Amino acid sequence: MTSPVSALSGTGVAGSATIHANLTASGLYAHALRRGEGRLSADGAFMAVTGQHTGRSVQDKFVVDDPAVHDAIWWGKINQPMAPANFGKFTTQLRDWLGQRTELFTQDLYAGADPAHRIRVRLVTTNAWHALFARNMFIRPAREELADFTPDYVILHAPELEANPAEIGCRTSTCIALSFAARTICIAGTSYAGEIKKSIFTVMNWILPDRGVLPMHCSANVGKAGDTALFFGLSGTGKTTLSSDPERALVGDDEHGWSESGVFNFEGGCYAKVIKLSKDAEPQIWDASHRFGAVLENVIGDDHGHLDLDDNRLTENTRSCYPIEFIPNTVGDGLAGKPKTVVMLTADAFGVLPPIAKLTPAQAMYHFLSGYTARVAGTEKGLGKEPQATFSTCFGAPFLPRHPEVYGRMLAERIAKDGAQVWLVNTGWTGGAYGTGKRMSIQHTRALLRAALDGSLAKVEFVRDPFFGLMMPKAVPGIPDSVLNPRETWADKDAYDRQAKHLVSLFEKNFETFAGAVGDDVKQAAIRAAA
């Protein structure tokens, strides 16, 4: 379809390699199997094992410290600086190494369903299955649009190449480096495909605020009445699961923009965590993961390819990547109206937050900037077996190149302008902390969400939580009253009080990091210990 010269145009890669450009799923399957990159499940999904890296290598991510962007970058542990000269060496190394391969795979794709705000991405990779992953995750241009495709950003993907820390100033042999000035992303030393996806999300988080568009780490769906809902949350909070609702059309499961026109998906696929995936509780994701075209990362199967989704011997972060059309009820063009409902999801490992609470606009901005959840083992390299309570501002700190206040102010403006109702939903533990209590019932969570989405929940009587200042529904049809008040689910009420006070202290400490950048209304809404 595309000549080798044009397939590598704009990438800086040159050589005599055979170029497999813009192959469809069938062609990529054939090459991946020929090359021994993985195997098939009994249902036809492609199964890949990523080796040492089964999650994102956060400490190995760098942003090039170009003078043109220096003042706007949120420098620190998230965005570690790389000198432009070192990035030049790194890109030269990757280009030379890729040019020496006998075959390469390229994909030309879009990020952003809204044509006014999309970018064109060209991926160059050594593996057919990584090309298939990208083809699933991003938006596939129409065939006629590929003839004159010119990339805005290029991804040079060399998972087998080991970076040289002494030469380019990285930390290990794994390096993910992004230059906004060169519009180039270099990935070396890791086969975890999520690095491809999240590098482009970081790009969208950089370019869209200047266009007046809020980039968001959230899922989105639309009800039959045309009402749009957003679901913010980190990995393991249920963002993908809860937005895949048979009663509502899925816009997307992870990354969106909120513009003057409404909401649009950045992607053309889904990347669902599938450890302990239940066919009964999550039938849409289950079906999408058990068919030809899906890519399964680090999922265990027997000799016949029958999957064991409970097996975590490789990682807790098992993943399924599939085109969004594998979900039966989706918004085909990835565009939706302005949100009526905003849901902020958290997986509270302490088991002290209510399953749902109504937030004021000031509380909404506070919880957005706080981004509290419990990290689930495996989503990032270096985490232990136990979940860890953490705060990830804007529910997506690892992907924010700008200061969090930029996104916080934009969210507050959008909520005020479009009149969205905001809810905080705990999908974590109840009846005790992790290890003692149990995970919140997904049936209860879905029932509460449906009541929030149809507007009926906002009409019930609410009671104020004494520790966190949250307004909890006192009674909801079909939900036991004790479930709504977390303290009532604990056998030891004193133990609950101690845990709640401890979490309050963590919120207080975290608030210090952004207290100076918010207004008095948000400061008054902040969670703090009783005087």
Side-chain angles (χ1 to χ4, degrees), residues 15 58 124 162 183 226 273 286 294 327-328 355 404 451 468 470 513 524 527:
V58 179
V124 182
E162 293 188 355
R183 296 187 175 188
K273 191 172 181 181
W286 173 280
I327 300 295
F468 305 98
L470 298 170
T513 64
Q524 291 173 3
I527 294 171

Side-chain angles (χ1 to χ4, degrees), residues 305-425:
H306 296 291
L307 305 180
D308 182 355
L309 298 180
D310 292 333
D311 195 325
N312 64 353
R313 74 181 73 171
L314 294 180
T315 179
E316 287 281 333
N317 192 35
T318 56
R319 293 280 178 166
S320 174
C321 165
Y322 47 85
I324 195 168
E325 58 265 28
F326 281 16
I327 300 295
N329 187 19
T330 60
V331 177
D333 61 4
L335 304 174
K338 297 177 180 179
K340 178 183 176 183
T341 306
V342 175
V343 178
M344 296 183 182
L345 298 165
T346 181
D348 174 30
F350 295 104
V352 294
L353 290 180
I356 195 165
K358 183 170 64 173
L359 301 182
T360 66
Q363 285 178 318
M365 186 170 176
Y366 172 83
H367 282 279
F368 182 66
L369 288 172
S370 296
Y372 167 70
T373 192
R375 285 288 191 195
V376 179
T379 54
E380 290 182 8
K381 189 179 179 222
L383 286 180
K385 296 181 180 179
E386 298 294 322
Q388 298 176 6
T390 192
F391 295 87
S392 183
T393 188
C394 306
F395 294 95
F399 323 117
L400 303 182
R402 298 180 184 270
H403 293 269
E405 294 80 10
V406 172
Y407 309 101
R409 285 194 298 269
M410 293 187 76
L411 178 73
E413 291 167 1
R414 288 287 173 209
I415 290 173
K417 189 171 184 178
D418 295 344
Q421 173 64 62
V422 187
W423 301 88
L424 180 69
V425 173

Side-chain angles (χ1 to χ4, degrees), residues 60-137:
D60 297 311
K61 172 188 170 185
F62 297 86
V63 174
V64 180
D65 192 3
D66 293 298
V69 303
H70 175 84
D71 291 341
I73 300 293
W74 180 34
W75 298 111
K77 293 181 179 180
I78 299 299
N79 298 297
Q80 302 176 92
M82 175 176 282
N86 285 345
F87 184 74
K89 295 176 184 177
F90 191 30
T91 52
T92 297
Q93 181 186 15
L94 260 68
R95 287 166 176 159
D96 290 347
W97 189 86
L98 289 168
Q100 293 168 12
R101 301 308 98 190
T102 57
E103 57 183 340
L104 294 172
F105 298 85
T106 67
Q107 286 285 315
D108 294 333
L109 302 158
Y110 294 136
D114 186 342
H117 301 298
R118 71 172 35 145
I119 63 170
R120 294 161 296 194
V121 178
R122 175 163 290 163
L123 169 73
V124 182
T125 183
T126 53
N127 295 320
W129 85 264
H130 282 113
L132 178 60
F133 171 92
R135 184 176 177 81
N136 282 355
M137 283 311 312

Side-chain angles (χ1 to χ4, degrees), residues 13 26 45 52 64 89 164 178 189 191 213 224 273 299 402 428:
V13 177
S26 297
Q52 176 188 1
V64 180
K89 295 176 184 177
N164 186 336
L178 163 59
S191 292
V213 178
K224 295 176 182 177
K273 191 172 181 181
V299 173
R402 298 180 184 270

Side-chain angles (χ1 to χ4, degrees), residues 131-253:
L132 178 60
F133 171 92
R135 184 176 177 81
N136 282 355
M137 283 311 312
F138 298 114
I139 298 170
R140 297 161 291 283
R143 186 183 180 91
E144 58 271 17
E145 295 175 308
L146 293 172
D148 59 352
F149 190 97
T150 302
D152 298 309
Y153 274 80
V154 168
I155 303 174
L156 302 177
H157 187 249
E160 301 87 3
L161 173 66
E162 293 188 355
N164 186 336
E167 182 179 349
I168 64 173
C170 57
R171 189 180 68 96
T172 68
S173 60
T174 297
C175 185
I176 303 98
L178 163 59
S179 170
F180 294 118
R183 296 187 175 188
T184 299
I185 299 155
C186 295
I187 301 173
T190 173
S191 292
Y192 180 66
E195 301 287 9
I196 297 171
K197 164 188 161 67
K198 289 305 186 184
S199 65
I200 293 299
F201 184 40
T202 303
V203 169
M204 297 297 273
N205 276 309
W206 170 253
I207 65 174
L208 290 183
D210 282 344
R211 303 181 183 182
V213 178
L214 172 63
M216 304 173 294
H217 187 213
C218 71
S219 56
N221 61 27
V222 179
K224 295 176 182 177
D227 56 301
T228 303
L230 303 179
F231 300 80
F232 287 93
L234 298 176
S235 174
T237 60
K239 184 168 77 300
T240 298
T241 298
L242 294 171
S243 57
S244 298
D245 185 338
E247 300 300 316
R248 299 175 64 84
L250 181 69
V251 183
D253 81 325

